[in-house]
Amino acid sequence: MATTACLGPAGGARVEQADASGDGTLRIGLILDNTGPQKFLNAPQLAAAKLAVKEINAAGGHKGKPVELLPEAISADTGAQARALVEAKADVVIGPTDSSRAPAAIDVLANARIAMISPANTASGLSSYRSGGFYFRTSAADIAQAPVLVKLAKDSGAATLAVVYEEGSYGKDLSTAVAAAAQRSGLGSVAVAGFAPGQAQQAAAAVKAAAPDAVVLVSQAGAQGAIAELNNAGVAGTKLILSDGAVNQYGSGLGSSALGGARGILPGTFASAHFQGELVSVDPELADMTFAAETYDAVNVAAVAAAAAEDDAGASIAASLIAVSGGKVQGSGGSGPSGEATVCKSYQECLDVLRAGKRPDYDGESGRIGFDANGDVSSANYVVYTYGADNTATMSGSETAGSNGS
């Protein structure tokens, strides 16, 4: 990336003045990279993007011309998808889902000066990935959930906490953030134990010996085995709090009541009945809403940024996104509007704010966005799940946290 590798993670195109260079047509591309067991995640993102573009065009499109949603493809090769979208003259790209595939897409799109907004990337390291300022995401980094996990422990009356984490970047980063959040909240951290997938017996024994009031499990692929080992060690049910990577519908895959009363969280918000109905009108067979709100908001905030810049080029969109998302506007940079922000919850509302000479602050279906200089959202929303005796989880509440895990 000859033109972007020298630019630091914070700033770049996000805060620089951009000259109008678009061709007058706003083109939005999608990177749908879910295959195999995760392929169900494509449908809600596609339906949400189609819904957003439909509403944008009903409001007059971009500068009186319809916004184009480029034809979608499904492939785990995000680099190839990104190159195809460059050829198709995309101005902004929504995706990918998988954090591990984001760098391949960023490298291509940033070099082509195309804005990119992922609705699902959560890897903490992406905050500092060198994108030249063209990368954003409407989902929070993994570490944002740390204070929520600690709050769930405190809400249950716990005074001491143990953390069991699966080795790897996800487990290491999040477990460190949980321990720090526990210290800030006054909870005693009595044990922090790591394990390799399938080898959680020693970590479970360490937790049993520490006898904490609550145990946070930070895990992904090795979660089921870790829960089983904790259960064997007598640590089960209401003592357990699961990170987002460990939440699943385990059912008979675990011993009876292994998770009865346990709680866990997943990123996102409760989809409103109206939003669900609109999505189903786009795709009558839609059965899952995961990342739909974040995708819908990514499309809308990109279109609002283009409207604020009065230009559809990727650089202009990137330069306006912080301002129109309600983020802190840099004193000397950016092509976006300045001045007092006015909250708006649809493309049409935001257009009305712009026409009134004010700065729009788009808050959508996923909640407040407020991009910062790293392209990260400033707050994170989570849905809380509580497990029954059958080891299945049902939604039971919601929580909000800052995006930096504090």
Side-chain angles (χ1 to χ4, degrees), residues 13 24 54 57 65 67 133 247 266 326 353 358 384:
K54 176 184 174 182
N57 286 335
K65 294 181 65 175
V67 172
V247 172
L266 287 175
V353 171
K358 299 178 182 179
V384 180

Side-chain angles (χ1 to χ4, degrees), residues 239-298:
K239 279 195 171 185
L240 290 176
I241 299 167
L242 310 184
S243 72
D244 64 346
V247 172
N248 208 333
Q249 300 292 19
Y250 293 101
S252 60
L254 290 170
S256 178
S257 296
L259 286 173
R263 286 153 297 155
I265 60 175
L266 287 175
T269 60
F270 291 109
S272 68
H274 173 75
F275 184 52
Q276 291 184 52
E278 292 297 301
L279 289 170
V280 171
S281 72
V282 173
D283 180 0
E285 297 183 1
L286 192 63
D288 190 277
M289 305 289 174
T290 305
F291 302 129
E294 291 81 3
T295 302
Y296 176 83
D297 288 347

Side-chain angles (χ1 to χ4, degrees), residues 59-74:
H62 174 68
K63 298 178 74 172
K65 294 181 65 175
V67 172
E68 295 182 7
L69 183 62
L70 298 174
E72 75 280 0
I74 297 173

Side-chain angles (χ1 to χ4, degrees), residues 343-361:
V343 172
C344 46
K345 297 189 176 183
S346 70
Y347 180 71
Q348 180 65 70
E349 284 186 21
C350 291
L351 283 186
D352 293 341
V353 171
L354 281 168
R355 288 165 181 159
K358 299 178 182 179
R359 175 165 67 97
D361 171 2

